[in-house]
Amino acid sequence: MLLINGLDDLSNATIVGISNGVQFSYTGNIDLMGDLGHPNLSVSQLLLGCLREAPIKMAMPAVIFNCIADPDSHGRSLDRASELLEQARVPVLNRPQNVRKTTRDNIYRLLHNTPGLVVPRTVRLAPRRLSDIRAAMADGDIGMPFLIRPAGQHGGAGLLRVDSESDLGQLERFAFDGRGYYLTEFVDFRSPDGLYRKYRLIMLDGRVYPRHLIASDHWNIHSRSRGTVMQNNLELMAQEQAFLDHPERHFKESVQQALAQIRRELELDYFGVDCGLNADGDLVVFEINACVNVIQRHQAPFGYLNAAVERIRTGVIEMVLRRDRNRSA
């Protein structure tokens, strides 16, 4: 199998180790394969930059996995991958043209009328002054509270909630120099017990794999939120375990149908859905994209998550081997 990774549009890479030679990491790519050891799976990697490289000469692999996952920050690498894969005669996972569907504003356009889903209104803009924010709010019918974040950033990084006119001054922290931002209406997803819950689902070859259920006392939930309310709460950990064992029990039928609709619209082989649930049991979408890394091991007291990680790891291996068998049939 060949993995295709890409530099972002600024050609950035991060040094993560130097003990055994310089090791780099590349944001905006799916870091999925490091733990996929399997006797029938040989993995090679190709890194694409932002400039047009010389023609690439290599033996044709059995399966190609496009790991370039962020259409906001990796447009040039996705262009290069599209050119490279245009003539591919082998199975390609996560084709670049399907990754491009996952910008936050396009997810809203594609899915906001889907029963069982609440997809917050979202617009992209390139502001140069505060008045541009106001204009985008009016054009996108986005009121307060709303969220703003730089395009190409995920999780809680760079995310700000603006609740009222008096909060608009906080926007001065951002560089309004023409770079891209997203405005998204804030939809309250607080549970009846006063906590906020974030579900992560991995969509893998047409199947739903639960990854985690994090409870927090703050709406901006990320992995570090485990250290607040969940660390010593056996009830919350039991709720997460129940979700991992039987995710279908957490979602009503219209949500299950909506998840199938998401898969049909995006046509991706691997991607993630971060979401909450509102009081009606509808799925509140936070983000849907392939830029989600899931194969990380957990220590006590959250070691029960490793079973879910292993199911996803096995699912990826089986998907790749299945594509190879189908190609050879």
Side-chain angles (χ1 to χ4, degrees), residues 29 101 145 182 191 240 248 259 317:
N29 294 270
K101 297 179 183 179
Y182 283 113
S191 301
E240 183 172 42
E248 70 283 352
L259 293 172
I317 293 172

Side-chain angles (χ1 to χ4, degrees), residues 122-196:
T122 302
V123 296
R124 177 168 173 151
L125 69 159
R128 292 191 176 277
R129 55 190 64 86
L130 185 59
S131 60
D132 294 337
I133 300 291
R134 296 184 182 276
M137 291 172 62
D139 291 343
D141 192 22
I142 295 176
M144 295 184 184
F146 68 85
L147 305 175
I148 182 171
R149 76 174 79 215
Q153 291 192 10
H154 301 272
L159 181 62
L160 174 67
R161 184 170 123 181
V162 177
D163 291 323
S164 65
E165 287 284 333
S166 61
D167 292 333
L168 287 175
Q170 297 182 50
L171 297 176
E172 298 296 338
R173 72 177 65 178
F174 295 111
F176 290 163
D177 56 2
R179 70 186 70 183
Y181 289 85
Y182 283 113
L183 294 187
T184 304
E185 66 174 335
F186 177 76
V187 175
D188 194 1
F189 60 100
R190 192 185 317 218
S191 301
D193 62 1
L195 296 177
Y196 296 90

Side-chain angles (χ1 to χ4, degrees), residues 93-156:
L93 300 169
N94 275 19
R95 286 188 173 274
Q97 62 266 33
N98 295 331
V99 171
R100 288 190 180 280
K101 297 179 183 179
T102 63
T103 60
R104 294 177 186 271
D105 53 340
N106 194 53
I107 290 296
Y108 171 73
R109 285 191 291 268
L110 287 175
L111 299 170
H112 73 278
N113 286 324
T114 305
L117 294 185
V118 177
V119 186
R121 292 185 183 90
T122 302
V123 296
R124 177 168 173 151
L125 69 159
R128 292 191 176 277
R129 55 190 64 86
L130 185 59
S131 60
D132 294 337
I133 300 291
R134 296 184 182 276
M137 291 172 62
D139 291 343
D141 192 22
I142 295 176
M144 295 184 184
F146 68 85
L147 305 175
I148 182 171
R149 76 174 79 215
Q153 291 192 10
H154 301 272

Side-chain angles (χ1 to χ4, degrees), residues 265-285:
E265 289 284 355
L266 298 186
E267 301 180 279
L268 287 169
D269 305 281
Y270 166 89
F271 64 99
V273 178
D274 281 352
C275 56
L277 290 178
N278 67 8
D280 296 324
D282 294 323
L283 189 151
V284 180
V285 172

Side-chain angles (χ1 to χ4, degrees), residues 35-247:
D35 295 329
L36 291 182
H38 189 277
N40 295 328
L41 193 60
S42 175
V43 178
S44 300
Q45 299 198 43
L46 175 66
L47 177 65
L48 300 178
C50 297
L51 301 177
R52 185 177 298 276
E53 297 91 348
I56 298 172
K57 298 180 180 180
M58 61 184 181
M60 185 60 65
V63 178
I64 299 174
F65 198 129
N66 169 49
C67 295
I68 307 171
D70 193 326
D72 287 309
S73 59
H74 287 62
R76 295 178 183 176
S77 292
L78 284 169
D79 286 344
R80 186 68 177 104
S82 294
E83 295 174 1
L84 180 66
L85 297 174
E86 186 175 351
Q87 304 301 322
R89 297 293 183 263
V90 299
V92 176
L93 300 169
N94 275 19
R95 286 188 173 274
Q97 62 266 33
N98 295 331
V99 171
R100 288 190 180 280
K101 297 179 183 179
T102 63
T103 60
R104 294 177 186 271
D105 53 340
N106 194 53
I107 290 296
Y108 171 73
R109 285 191 291 268
L110 287 175
L111 299 170
H112 73 278
N113 286 324
T114 305
L117 294 185
V118 177
V119 186
R121 292 185 183 90
T122 302
V123 296
R124 177 168 173 151
L125 69 159
R128 292 191 176 277
R129 55 190 64 86
L130 185 59
S131 60
D132 294 337
I133 300 291
R134 296 184 182 276
M137 291 172 62
D139 291 343
D141 192 22
I142 295 176
M144 295 184 184
F146 68 85
L147 305 175
I148 182 171
R149 76 174 79 215
Q153 291 192 10
H154 301 272
L159 181 62
L160 174 67
R161 184 170 123 181
V162 177
D163 291 323
S164 65
E165 287 284 333
S166 61
D167 292 333
L168 287 175
Q170 297 182 50
L171 297 176
E172 298 296 338
R173 72 177 65 178
F174 295 111
F176 290 163
D177 56 2
R179 70 186 70 183
Y181 289 85
Y182 283 113
L183 294 187
T184 304
E185 66 174 335
F186 177 76
V187 175
D188 194 1
F189 60 100
R190 192 185 317 218
S191 301
D193 62 1
L195 296 177
Y196 296 90
R197 287 172 168 81
K198 184 182 80 170
Y199 299 78
R200 173 165 289 178
L201 304 170
I202 302 303
M203 305 298 199
L204 179 55
D205 207 19
R207 294 184 57 191
V208 179
Y209 290 77
R211 176 57 177 86
H212 63 228
L213 169 55
I214 302 178
S216 175
D217 54 5
H218 193 274
W219 62 268
N220 188 2
I221 305 173
H222 42 75
S223 59
R224 294 188 301 276
S225 299
R226 289 185 177 279
T228 56
V229 300
M230 290 190 71
Q231 184 76 30
N232 299 306
N233 193 313
L234 296 179
E235 181 180 352
L236 292 178
M237 288 190 281
Q239 290 176 12
E240 183 172 42
Q241 179 72 75
F243 168 66
L244 298 177
D245 291 341
H246 299 286

